[in-house]
Structures are given as structure tokens and as C-alpha cells.
Amino acid sequence: MMDFAPEPRRQRAESIVPMINVVFLLLIFFLMTAKLSQPDPFEVTPPVVAQGAPPQDDTALYVGKDDQLQFRDTKGEAVFESLALISKTHPTLQVRIDAALDGDVLARVMARLATSGFRNIEVVVEVK
């Protein structure tokens, strides 16, 4: 006798294609939104700006936008002679600069201060 009954259907296994699609979409999303950057070559501690720090005694050098220099009552290039005298008793000097001062002028002033014997130079900035 021949059996003409339809074969019993096998249950279809769950397709994993939708899950693969979701994984690839997530991968693409994270790759597109990630910021890839090079690691720092070594750890650097950034300088801290003290908000509202009072001036340290009267040891502040003022540098104007037109290369004007003033320390206490001394003006011009003579300030470096006065600063060299106090560098032994005051290792820290505050420098108050004008925001419009050229960077190369500031670099020259800092180099002269370093040769004057100051160990710490604080540049006063405004915090907004």
C-alpha cells in the first residue's frame, strides 16, 4: 500500500539573520560616533587657574601691549635689574600681561626672567 499523505512539515529553525543585521548596525553606529584619537605620549598635569587669587605681596611685573614693563616704581629695561635683586628672596613672580600682547614679546620677557633667577613665574589670567 502506498502512502499518499503529505509529509509532515519540519519546523523551520529560527533565522539569525535579523540578529546579525542588528549587530552590524550597532557596530557601524559605534564606529561612526566614536572619536578616535592618539593616546598621549606621557601623562601631563595641566596648570590650575586659581579663581580670584590675591596678588602675592607687591612682586608683580606688569607687561603692557606696547612692550611696556613696570615693576614697582621701575619702568622699562631697568625692571630686570630690580627683579634680579629680589629673585633670591622671592622665588615666585607674578606676571600680569595685557591680552593683546604678542606671544614673541612674552617669550622674550619670560626668557629674561628665567635668567634673572626666578624659579616660579605665575601668569595672571582672568577666569570667565
Side-chain angles (χ1 to χ4, degrees):
M1 194 174 205
M2 290 185 60
D3 187 19
F4 290 109
E7 286 185 28
R9 290 186 118 189
R10 282 192 241 161
Q11 243 184 355
R12 233 172 110 191
E14 290 288 326
S15 174
I16 63 166
V17 173
M19 184 170 43
I20 293 173
N21 289 342
V22 168
V23 169
F24 277 116
L25 285 174
L26 286 173
L27 180 65
I28 291 169
F29 171 77
F30 287 121
L31 286 175
M32 296 297 289
T33 59
K35 289 184 180 179
L36 302 175
S37 63
Q38 297 245 347
D40 295 334
F42 49 86
E43 189 169 334
V44 176
T45 304
V48 177
V49 176
Q51 195 168 9
Q56 179 185 18
D57 343 32
D58 58 345
T59 57
L61 171 66
Y62 292 87
V63 184
K65 62 182 172 184
D66 299 325
D67 301 347
Q68 304 160 336
L69 298 170
Q70 182 163 351
F71 176 72
R72 295 182 180 157
D73 294 331
T74 311
K75 293 183 180 182
E77 291 293 316
V79 300
F80 294 110
E81 295 170 11
S82 299
L83 290 170
L85 294 174
I86 69 152
S87 66
K88 292 168 184 58
T89 58
H90 293 85
T92 301
L93 175 71
Q94 280 191 352
V95 179
R96 296 176 180 260
I97 61 172
D98 191 275
L101 183 69
D102 285 337
D104 57 341
V105 174
L106 179 61
R108 277 186 271 140
V109 170
M110 292 296 190
R112 293 279 306 266
L113 291 174
T115 59
S116 296
F118 286 100
R119 289 197 171 91
N120 299 317
I121 298 173
E122 299 174 350
V123 177
V124 179
V125 296
E126 181 180 340
V127 179
K128 290 189 176 193

